[in-house]
Amino acid sequence: MHVSPQPSFRRRNNNYTVPVKAMVCSTGGATPKSGKYKITTYRREWNGLQGDVYGQYATQIVGNILFHSVPYTAKNNASLEYWEYDKLGTDASMGCVRLTVRDAKWIYENCGAGTQVEFYNDSNPGPLGR
């Protein structure tokens, strides 16, 4: 996955030429395998997720697919499901893109509506080679 933030860093032919940030994430069966999407205006500091848990810094990609932190059992920082944090980098979500709180917050604060998100499959690893 590759996210280009709103501010121009280096551009050529209206495309960003230098990846800005790489993030360890967890995806799942309903996560898009490829394609380009634009972040919507939907964002919540705490968002209810499936399974009666919450994610911090939720930013909508498309439909029910969001960027958000690993789950919490309540809307407070002391309730982090640490066992889910340990699953980052594996297939562990229902379809959203789970991130560390720091990375979810970075997207929440730096990638406004209209920011393009591109998903890559294993045969086309994208600009960071991952």
Side-chain angles (χ1 to χ4, degrees):
M1 173 185 58
H2 175 242
V3 178
S4 297
Q6 292 289 1
S8 296
F9 289 95
R10 281 195 181 165
R11 293 179 70 129
R12 183 174 58 191
N13 300 329
N14 264 353
N15 291 310
Y16 291 97
T17 59
V18 177
V20 175
K21 190 166 182 67
M23 303 173 189
V24 175
C25 65
S26 289
T27 59
T31 309
K33 304 299 180 230
S34 62
K36 295 179 182 182
Y37 301 89
K38 292 194 179 196
I39 289 178
T40 72
T41 58
Y42 182 89
R43 55 187 68 237
R44 299 286 183 272
E45 190 169 340
W46 285 100
N47 194 76
L49 306 173
Q50 291 182 355
D52 200 27
V53 294
Y54 301 89
Q56 255 190 305
Y57 302 108
T59 302
Q60 184 184 37
I61 302 167
V62 61
N64 291 329
I65 308 300
L66 309 167
F67 289 116
H68 63 73
S69 72
V70 294
Y72 289 78
T73 58
K75 291 182 183 180
N76 68 63
N77 291 329
S79 68
L80 175 74
E81 292 186 345
Y82 63 86
W83 54 94
E84 294 296 333
Y85 182 88
D86 292 342
K87 293 179 185 176
L88 284 172
T90 69
D91 188 34
S93 81
M94 298 194 78
C96 288
V97 179
R98 289 183 186 176
L99 301 156
T100 65
V101 173
R102 181 180 185 173
D103 287 342
K105 186 176 182 184
W106 188 91
I107 290 173
Y108 183 89
E109 292 178 342
N110 292 285
C111 299
T115 300
Q116 182 173 291
V117 177
E118 187 167 356
F119 290 89
Y120 296 91
N121 62 32
D122 290 341
S123 64
N124 179 9
L128 297 176
R130 303 194 192 279

